Amino acid sequence: MLKPVSPVRLPVVAAAAVGLLTVSCQRDAEPVAPAPEPSSPVEPQPEPPVRPTTLDRRELLSAVSQAAADYAAGETPEATDPLVGRQFDIRLTFGCEGAETPPADGAGDGLARWSWGPERETIRLSLTPGDWTRSALIAGANQDQWEAVEGFWVARPWMNAEGCPSIRADPLASGPVSPSPQTVGLAAVFETGGSRLGRRNGRAYTHAIRQAGDAPLVALDAGYRVRLQGRIATFPGGRAIRCRAANPNQRPVCVAAAQLDRVAFETPTGETLSEWRPG
């Protein structure tokens, strides 16, 4: 008679080895997570444009347009005027249409011009500031704050560019065409009891360009420039620009209060011909 065979018992060490082998196989069978892809480099963002601190012609005309619109609508901004205290550097081109005789009475009109000297041997540049102290635009706001106000017109305020206009007069047009009245100006203010340096008191800024050698003197087709530099001041009430119109259907005349640091005559390329400083 056959005897039943007893199950084989593995030693403890062998059983442990089998268990470790099974666990190892299970671990090897688990999927391996893929390595993270390298992140793309972050592109540097461009720096925001820096707003220039010096006021130029374009910015001045933009501020004047806003002031004229506010005046016409009867609105008075309550916020602090950001123009007050800012430096300005503005070039005013003149003589684009040739020589022009200064006013016969010598009164200042705040516009620059050039004219021929005797025998066309010299070119005379001149600018006499206007006396705006008692003008309706200034007198209504002065309150005895200023002893004198000398004015400079910014001609052709519809142009942001500083040079001569490209449009020429039509030679076939019948009769002379009157220029548009001046509507934008800089008012150089002088405080009551303050320094009188820099005041013109009716005297013109002048410069003579003389003939060199035997070559004939030739005027520049691109005209000449007056360069005004200084700092924007404030009218009583805290605004830098004041406007006025005699009729609601007229464009307001607006002027910015200013303290002048330098006046100069220049060529269109920026060459200084002569300059004046108050100090």
Side-chain angles (χ1 to χ4, degrees), residues 170-269:
D170 184 358
L172 300 180
S174 58
V177 178
S178 300
S180 297
Q182 304 298 332
T183 58
V184 178
L186 280 173
V189 298
F190 300 89
E191 294 182 357
T192 301
S195 173
R196 292 175 176 265
L197 293 176
R199 286 175 56 172
R200 301 303 295 175
N201 296 320
R203 293 177 292 115
Y205 298 97
T206 62
H207 175 76
I209 302 174
R210 304 186 182 281
Q211 181 177 353
D214 297 330
L217 189 61
V218 178
L220 300 179
D221 291 336
Y224 301 90
R225 294 183 181 183
V226 170
R227 186 174 183 178
L228 304 178
Q229 294 173 285
R231 188 177 299 275
I232 298 295
T234 176
F235 284 93
R239 308 309 298 177
I241 299 173
R242 181 172 170 82
C243 301
R244 186 177 183 274
N247 187 289
N249 295 319
Q250 291 180 339
R251 179 184 177 90
V253 176
C254 300
V255 299
Q259 293 177 339
L260 283 179
D261 295 331
R262 181 174 181 263
V263 177
F265 284 123
E266 293 183 345
T267 66
T269 59

Side-chain angles (χ1 to χ4, degrees), residues 30-265:
E30 293 178 356
V32 180
E37 297 182 0
S39 58
S40 57
V42 179
E43 296 183 0
Q45 297 297 321
E47 294 290 336
V50 179
R51 181 183 179 184
T53 58
T54 302
L55 197 72
D56 59 9
R57 179 188 177 94
R58 181 186 296 271
E59 273 198 282
L60 173 66
L61 293 178
S62 177
V64 166
S65 295
Q66 184 60 55
D70 292 340
Y71 169 80
E75 300 175 355
T76 302
E78 297 181 357
T80 303
D81 196 329
L83 292 184
V84 175
R86 285 187 63 183
Q87 293 181 339
F88 64 85
D89 187 349
I90 299 173
R91 292 177 173 88
L92 309 176
T93 300
F94 65 95
C96 297
E97 298 179 356
E100 184 180 357
T101 304
D105 57 2
D109 59 1
L111 290 170
R113 51 180 54 84
W114 70 267
S115 58
W116 289 107
E119 305 298 328
R120 291 204 170 197
E121 293 181 350
T122 60
I123 293 177
R124 184 175 182 267
L125 312 182
S126 65
L127 167 60
T128 306
D131 183 3
W132 293 358
T133 309
R134 296 176 179 82
S135 66
L137 187 61
I138 302 298
N142 191 354
Q143 300 176 5
D144 297 328
Q145 177 177 337
W146 300 316
E147 188 174 34
V149 180
E150 298 179 344
F152 303 81
W153 289 116
V154 180
R156 295 181 292 275
W158 51 86
M159 283 184 59
N160 288 327
E162 294 178 338
C164 289
S166 60
I167 301 174
R168 297 300 179 187
D170 184 358
L172 300 180
S174 58
V177 178
S178 300
S180 297
Q182 304 298 332
T183 58
V184 178
L186 280 173
V189 298
F190 300 89
E191 294 182 357
T192 301
S195 173
R196 292 175 176 265
L197 293 176
R199 286 175 56 172
R200 301 303 295 175
N201 296 320
R203 293 177 292 115
Y205 298 97
T206 62
H207 175 76
I209 302 174
R210 304 186 182 281
Q211 181 177 353
D214 297 330
L217 189 61
V218 178
L220 300 179
D221 291 336
Y224 301 90
R225 294 183 181 183
V226 170
R227 186 174 183 178
L228 304 178
Q229 294 173 285
R231 188 177 299 275
I232 298 295
T234 176
F235 284 93
R239 308 309 298 177
I241 299 173
R242 181 172 170 82
C243 301
R244 186 177 183 274
N247 187 289
N249 295 319
Q250 291 180 339
R251 179 184 177 90
V253 176
C254 300
V255 299
Q259 293 177 339
L260 283 179
D261 295 331
R262 181 174 181 263
V263 177
F265 284 123

